[in-house]
Amino acid sequence: MPSPTPNAFVRRARKIYTPLGFKKGYNFTLFFIFGGAWLGFTLARLQFLNFSIFCQEASPGECFYYKDLGYVGLYLHLGCILPGALLAFLQFIPAIRYKAIIIHRINGYIIILLVIASNIGALMIARHAFGGLISTQAAVGFLVILTTTAMAIAYYNIKRLQIEQHRAWMLRSFFYMGSIITVRIILITAAVIISKQPYFMSQPCDKIDYLLGEQETLQRYPVCGRYYNGSQPDQHVSVLANFNGYVDQIASALNANFGMALWLAVAMHGIGVEVYLQLTPRESNRLREVSYQRQLEAGFENPGRAGLTVDKIGDGELWVPGKTGNT
C-alpha cells in the first residue's frame, strides 16, 4: 500500500533532518529535544571554566571548598566533562556515523577518556559538593559507577562488533549523565517547597564566615564565637533552609536537597532510557543483523552474539538471523 503524500510541514522538516542522516521524523524530534537540551546546557556552562564566573553562579559557599586539591578536582571534572559533552553531541548525528565512521570512532575514544577523567574529578569534590551530605556523596558515587560501567560494556561490545548492544549501552551512559540537567529542575523546585516549612541544616562556622563575614556571622550565630576564639575550630550551627532568605539560608536550602534531587534524576533517566530501548526493537534487530554479518566476516565464534547478549549470558531465546521478531 503506497505511503500517503506528506503534508507541507513534513516536507519542510525532511529538508532539515534528512541531510543529518535521520530517516524518521520522531528520531529527529527526540534528538532536537534531548540533544538540544544537552547542547544548550553544555554551552551555557562553558563559562564556568573561568573560576571567578563559576563562583558567581555556583551555589552560595561552594567555592569555599575549592582550593588546593578541591580546585584540582573541580577543574579536572569541568575541564573534561564540558568538552566531552560537546563531542558527545556529534555522536548522535547519523550522517557522521554513516559517512565519517572514523570520526565517530576517534571521537568515541576521546569521549570515554574524558568521561573517566571527569568522574575522577567528581569523586575528588564529592566530599564537600553541595554540603557533602552522605546522600550526595552516595549519589555522585553511584552515578560515576553507572556511567563508567555502561561505557565499559559499550566499549567491549563494539570491539566484539555487537553493534546493537554498543548502541544500547552508550545510550544508557549518556542518559545517566544527562540527569545532571534534570537535577537542576528538581533541586530548585524542592528548595522552594521546603522553604515553606521549618527545615534546618548544619553548616560550619568557617563556611558561614566566608559567606557573611565575621561581624554578621557573630550577630546571627553567636555560638560561632567558639570558632573565632579557637576553642571549637570545627564549630557548626543550625541554619534555616530558606530559598528566599539570606545567602547562608539559600545555601542550606540547596545543600539539603541536592542528594535527593540527584537520586531522583538518575532514577528518572534510568527508567526513561529503558522505555526508549523497549520502544525501538526494530532498530535493535536491524543493528543485530548488521552485527551478525560483520562478526561472520571477521571470523568470530557465535556470530550474532559474540558480545554481551541476553541469549549468551542469560536465558533469552536463541537469536536466529533473518527471523522477524528477534529481540
Side-chain angles (χ1 to χ4, degrees):
M1 188 175 178
S3 301
T5 303
N7 58 40
F9 174 78
V10 173
R11 290 197 300 270
R12 285 194 292 268
R14 285 179 177 174
K15 291 180 180 180
I16 298 174
Y17 68 72
T18 300
L20 295 175
F22 291 96
K23 298 178 181 178
K24 297 180 180 179
Y26 79 89
N27 281 333
F28 175 72
T29 301
L30 291 173
F31 171 78
F32 181 81
I33 295 172
F34 294 108
W38 177 287
L39 181 62
F41 182 83
T42 304
L43 291 175
R45 272 143 185 81
L46 287 176
Q47 62 180 332
F48 287 176
L49 295 175
N50 182 316
F51 188 64
S52 61
I53 295 178
F54 173 82
C55 290
Q56 293 172 15
E57 300 293 331
S59 173
E62 282 295 288
C63 286
F64 172 71
Y65 295 107
Y66 294 141
K67 43 197 172 187
D68 301 326
L69 190 60
Y71 181 87
V72 172
L74 174 67
Y75 275 94
L76 179 60
H77 176 62
L78 291 179
C80 291
I81 199 59
L82 291 175
L86 288 176
L87 293 176
F89 178 80
L90 301 177
Q91 296 296 83
F92 291 94
I93 300 177
I96 294 178
R97 297 198 301 272
Y98 300 150
K99 300 178 181 179
I101 188 63
I102 188 64
I103 294 178
H104 180 77
R105 289 174 180 171
I106 295 174
N107 202 29
Y109 290 132
I110 295 173
I111 290 168
I112 290 174
L113 292 175
L114 288 173
V115 169
I116 291 173
S118 76
N119 280 346
I120 293 172
L123 292 175
M124 291 173 65
I125 62 177
R127 174 62 183 86
H128 295 293
F130 282 92
L133 295 176
I134 296 298
S135 60
T136 296
Q137 295 183 56
V140 170
F142 183 64
L143 185 56
V144 165
I145 292 171
L146 277 182
T147 54
T148 304
T149 302
M151 283 199 163
I153 296 174
Y155 176 78
Y156 174 80
N157 275 297
I158 200 59
K159 300 305 288 186
R160 299 294 296 172
L161 301 180
Q162 200 70 51
I163 303 171
E164 88 286 351
Q165 290 299 319
H166 172 73
R167 164 187 176 261
W169 284 101
M170 272 302 185
L171 279 171
R172 289 184 176 113
S173 181
F174 288 124
F175 262 74
Y176 300 151
M177 286 187 282
S179 61
I180 204 65
I181 302 174
T182 305
V183 75
R184 263 64 182 181
I185 301 172
I186 301 172
L187 177 62
I188 299 301
T189 302
V192 171
I193 292 173
I194 71 165
S195 296
K196 302 180 184 300
Q197 301 290 331
Y199 283 89
F200 293 84
M201 181 173 175
S202 176
Q203 296 281 11
C205 287
D206 53 355
K207 180 179 177 181
I208 297 175
D209 173 74
Y210 172 82
L211 289 170
L212 304 178
E214 180 176 352
Q215 183 175 352
E216 188 172 353
T217 298
L218 286 174
Q219 181 179 351
R220 295 181 53 202
Y221 305 104
V223 72
C224 281
R226 300 174 185 174
Y227 157 72
Y228 288 109
N229 64 30
S231 62
Q232 289 288 344
D234 60 346
Q235 180 69 50
H236 283 58
V237 292
S238 183
V239 179
L240 178 68
N242 182 6
F243 194 62
N244 302 308
Y246 294 99
V247 65
D248 56 318
Q249 296 175 339
I250 295 173
S252 287
L254 294 173
N255 293 173
N257 283 290
F258 186 79
M260 174 278 299
L262 186 53
W263 276 112
L264 184 56
V266 171
M268 291 171 61
H269 282 242
I271 294 171
V273 69
E274 296 305 322
V275 170
Y276 176 76
L277 290 172
Q278 290 299 314
L279 291 176
T280 55
R282 289 186 179 181
E283 178 64 8
S284 180
N285 191 58
R286 183 188 72 82
L287 290 175
R288 191 159 190 181
E289 294 283 356
V290 174
S291 299
Y292 169 77
Q293 291 296 331
R294 293 187 181 180
Q295 290 168 359
L296 191 65
E297 293 168 1
F300 285 154
E301 293 184 8
N302 302 314
R305 53 183 184 280
L308 298 177
T309 61
V310 175
D311 57 345
K312 180 180 179 180
I313 62 176
D315 62 353
E317 183 179 352
L318 185 65
W319 183 84
V320 179
K323 180 181 176 182
T324 303
N326 277 314
T327 58

